[in-house]
Amino acid sequence: MYNPKSLIAEEFISDEEIMDTLAYADANKDNLALVDEIIEKASKRKGLSHREASVLLACEDEIRVKKMYALAEQIKKDFYGNRIVMFAPLYLSNYCINGCVYCPYHIKNKHIARKKLTQEEIRREVIALQDMGHKRLAIEAGEDPQNNPIEYILESIRTIYDIKHKNGAIRRVNVNIAATTVEEYRMLHEAGIGTYILFQETYNKKGYEELHPYGPKSNYAYHTEAMDRAMEGGIDDVGLGVLFGLQMYRYEFAGLLMHAEHLEAVHGVGPHTISVPRIKPADDIDPNTFDNGISDEIFAKICALIRISVPYTGMIISTRESKEVREKVIRLGVSQISGGSKTSVGGYYEPEPEDSHSEQFNVSDQRTLDEVVKWLMEMGYIPSFCTACYREGRTGDRFMSLCKSGQIQNCCHPNALMTLKEYLMDYASEETKQIGEALIQAELYNIPKEKVKEICREKLAKIELGSRDFRF
Ligand code: SAM
């Protein structure tokens, strides 16, 4: 009954199709002629189907795996250059009525400190985030229609966009809240959100139901079909993800790609981003109680294969991962990372008191944003605070057209340099500033069009004199 065009969860994420895919991958993992053919197809940069990609994931031949990594690195360079987009999460509320067994926000957790930010507290948090240099946020909240109704989320978005503190501004608010109705997605769209992000957690229906024993999130179909409702509500940019560690990774990988194929088949545009979270220790959560943890090696392979299977989709990695792991997967395909993150409700303005824990999970990468920016530049990357596409209406298929037109280097590259310049002028430490100024000068030469290079140079000079917010 597998049908990527169907709007019914169990038809576009068909368990039977995934099981057949895994059997096909097992049967062919040593079929090196087929593996080579699939790698060759991927090198055309048009992506791979879930079946093809699953064969590569199963293949353990060292030479072929090296080829997959090399191709992922090359596609990453060709499509995303050396730019890495920066963001931070902002937790609004950890009230939640669900029973997700991997998440400390589950309703039965009585010792976690429950908090919901007031608009005044949001203002303080956002000013603290602006003072770090952030321009792009992802807001997060538990699911609780009484404590966190859509009106609260909308009011919070308005508050965030309204705050103009010194040269700071939050220019793009992405939203990670529970699956909701078309009507509420429309409201979010009208509030000017960037990407709507919702992690599937697991595509395995049986596993999903065990991991979400009660609460609105326990409805597998409602959750899995959420992105179709979001798109019906006018949201063009949606972000997928699974929580690796809960169920078998090969199943999740096939499901994730099937979800992307479904969005492309029905809406003509695939996911804007894919996130790759792994389960972490948290208040009353021990990741060792889940049997499906994946090694750093498998994790890197998944990232590389996502990169070559959906070359136009951005890939996001959070501070759940350590500096070392981030370093590896950024090279293989990750295009967006968070920095200086707090996963507690209200941790940016002032640190949480010792006895009050409201975090969602432990953060592995605890460096400041300035340290992360400096580290990226030392590795030759350009930290980008750009939010231009969505503000210029380049969302959904219009963003994909920009990617496919080959004009990215004349658009995203100068935008990255101009937003980095703003960061250096307003927020960077002296050392970071020095490294950044040299990087900008060197990277100006990588703008192909002379005219664009010239305009970019002029704008950089204007930023130096105090102007802000230029974009192509
Ligand atoms: N309540 C919304 C929902 O249900 O989708 C918002 C999501 S929550 C604030 C963000 C994500 O954090 C979840 O979708 C889940 O994948 C992830 N998460 C939950 N517990 C985690 C843990 N212990 N370690 C790592 N990530 C976790």
Side-chain angles (χ1 to χ4, degrees):
M1 260 211 310
Y2 172 51
N3 177 6
K5 286 204 162 150
S6 167
L7 292 174
I8 297 168
E10 284 180 71
E11 292 180 2
F12 66 82
I13 306 289
S14 145
D15 176 66
E16 200 184 347
E17 171 60 19
I18 299 185
M19 295 316 283
D20 283 355
T21 298
L22 298 188
Y24 174 79
D26 278 333
N28 284 290
K29 68 184 168 75
D30 299 319
N31 178 348
L32 299 182
L34 177 67
V35 169
D36 284 339
E37 213 176 278
I38 297 174
I39 297 177
E40 175 59 27
K41 181 177 172 199
S43 72
K44 305 273 184 291
R45 290 145 169 71
K46 298 250 186 292
L48 294 176
S49 70
H50 60 279
R51 277 210 176 207
E52 294 162 334
S54 294
V55 172
L56 298 191
L57 185 59
C59 171
E60 287 171 354
D61 178 81
E62 240 176 77
I63 297 176
R64 269 62 182 197
V65 173
K66 274 197 184 135
K67 273 192 184 172
M68 297 172 208
Y69 280 31
L71 180 58
E73 268 194 73
Q74 195 53 50
I75 292 182
K76 161 85 200 279
K77 276 194 196 125
D78 295 349
F79 283 53
Y80 299 87
N82 52 352
R83 298 174 298 281
I84 300 288
V85 169
M86 306 302 302
F87 79 99
L90 173 59
Y91 281 76
L92 297 180
S93 164
N94 62 5
Y95 283 93
C96 192
I97 58 168
N98 282 314
C100 314
V101 304
Y102 48 83
C103 178
Y105 290 178
H106 66 87
I107 192 171
K108 290 192 179 154
N109 186 351
K110 299 292 177 215
H111 47 88
I112 194 168
R114 297 287 170 180
K115 285 192 196 163
K116 171 186 170 183
L117 299 179
T118 63
Q119 298 307 307
E120 193 41 46
E121 286 167 334
I122 292 175
R123 214 162 271 127
R124 292 198 318 215
E125 289 291 282
V126 169
I127 288 175
L129 282 155
Q130 289 185 4
D131 279 344
M132 288 160 71
H134 279 294
K135 299 282 186 272
R136 175 189 293 243
L137 299 184
I139 57 171
E140 314 270 341
E143 180 166 17
D144 183 333
Q146 248 169 7
N147 282 301
N148 320 327
I150 192 71
E151 292 73 22
Y152 169 69
I153 304 290
L154 295 169
E155 190 186 1
S156 305
I157 294 170
R158 276 194 300 274
T159 300
I160 295 169
Y161 277 135
D162 276 352
I163 300 164
K164 301 283 177 285
H165 162 73
K166 299 185 184 161
N167 283 333
I170 298 302
R171 299 171 181 159
R172 177 175 178 133
V173 177
N174 296 335
V175 174
N176 183 3
I177 60 165
T180 186
T181 59
V182 173
E183 199 188 6
E184 293 195 355
Y185 283 127
R186 190 160 289 124
M187 293 177 186
L188 288 170
H189 173 58
E190 282 161 9
I193 68 161
T195 313
Y196 171 66
I197 300 166
L198 181 70
F199 299 160
Q200 178 64 29
E201 322 298 7
T202 173
Y203 283 97
N204 183 307
K205 181 170 186 261
K206 190 166 162 287
Y208 183 96
E209 286 169 352
E210 285 162 11
L211 291 159
H212 306 94
Y214 50 85
K217 194 167 170 178
S218 62
N219 185 337
Y220 174 82
Y222 190 73
H223 190 81
T224 311
E225 293 158 10
M227 293 313 193
D228 296 297
R229 293 194 299 279
M231 285 188 153
E232 197 185 329
I235 298 174
D236 285 337
D237 290 345
V238 298
L240 304 181
V242 289
L243 187 52
F244 285 102
L246 298 178
Q247 294 283 309
M248 187 172 77
Y249 71 88
R250 293 177 56 206
Y251 192 104
E252 305 298 12
F253 178 74
L256 192 57
L257 291 182
M258 284 163 76
H259 202 170
E261 287 161 25
H262 161 72
L263 296 177
E264 178 91 46
V266 175
H267 306 281
V269 53
H272 188 66
T273 54
I274 290 182
S275 299
V276 284
R278 281 197 284 185
I279 186 154
K280 297 284 301 171
D283 183 60
D284 66 345
I285 308 296
D286 175 4
N288 296 321
T289 53
F290 301 92
D291 303 332
N292 294 294
I294 54 173
S295 66
D296 291 350
E297 207 41 59
I298 294 289
F299 184 64
K301 192 171 178 191
I302 290 173
C303 292
L305 291 177
I306 291 176
R307 182 68 299 129
I308 69 179
S309 304
V310 279
Y312 296 113
T313 300
M315 212 191 309
I316 303 181
I317 194 156
S318 72
T319 52
R320 287 178 184 86
E321 299 297 337
S322 66
K323 168 175 173 272
E324 290 69 30
V325 171
R326 297 178 115 196
E327 208 161 300
K328 187 166 186 177
V329 295
I330 284 173
R331 208 177 61 238
L332 293 172
V334 166
S335 53
Q336 233 183 86
I337 71 168
S338 46
S341 303
K342 295 273 188 288
T343 63
S344 49
V345 182
Y348 291 109
Y349 172 70
E350 57 187 359
E352 283 219 298
E354 265 303 303
D355 55 348
S356 151
H357 290 290
S358 67
E359 311 94 336
Q360 197 189 19
F361 51 82
N362 295 358
V363 163
S364 294
D365 186 344
Q366 305 213 359
R367 292 172 296 168
T368 63
L369 179 63
D370 193 69
E371 286 167 335
V372 173
V373 164
K374 179 166 162 275
W375 161 75
L376 284 171
M377 296 192 302
E378 282 170 344
M379 292 190 296
Y381 294 106
I382 308 171
S384 171
F385 294 87
C386 178
T387 52
C389 275
Y390 126 94
R391 294 164 80 214
E392 289 291 317
R394 289 191 296 259
T395 57
D397 54 353
R398 287 172 301 280
F399 168 75
M400 297 295 168
S401 320
L402 173 74
C403 293
K404 292 175 188 170
S405 70
Q407 284 308 306
I408 281 219
Q409 201 66 3
N410 281 316
C411 189
C412 303
H413 198 73
N415 283 339
L417 297 182
M418 293 188 300
T419 54
L420 175 60
K421 175 78 179 177
E422 290 186 342
Y423 174 82
L424 299 178
M425 295 293 300
D426 293 337
Y427 310 105
S429 64
E430 207 36 58
E431 213 186 332
T432 302
K433 195 169 173 187
Q434 272 182 20
I435 300 171
E437 292 293 352
L439 182 79
I440 291 174
Q441 287 315 311
E443 287 291 344
L444 265 172
Y445 291 97
N446 293 327
I447 301 174
K449 263 195 194 156
E450 279 310 313
K451 184 79 197 146
V452 176
K453 199 183 294 179
E454 207 34 56
I455 297 173
C456 183
R457 229 189 278 271
E458 281 166 23
K459 305 288 187 208
L460 288 169
K462 286 193 175 159
I463 294 171
E464 186 93 34
L465 295 174
S467 299
R468 294 289 177 270
D469 203 11
F470 297 111
R471 59 181 180 264
F472 286 92

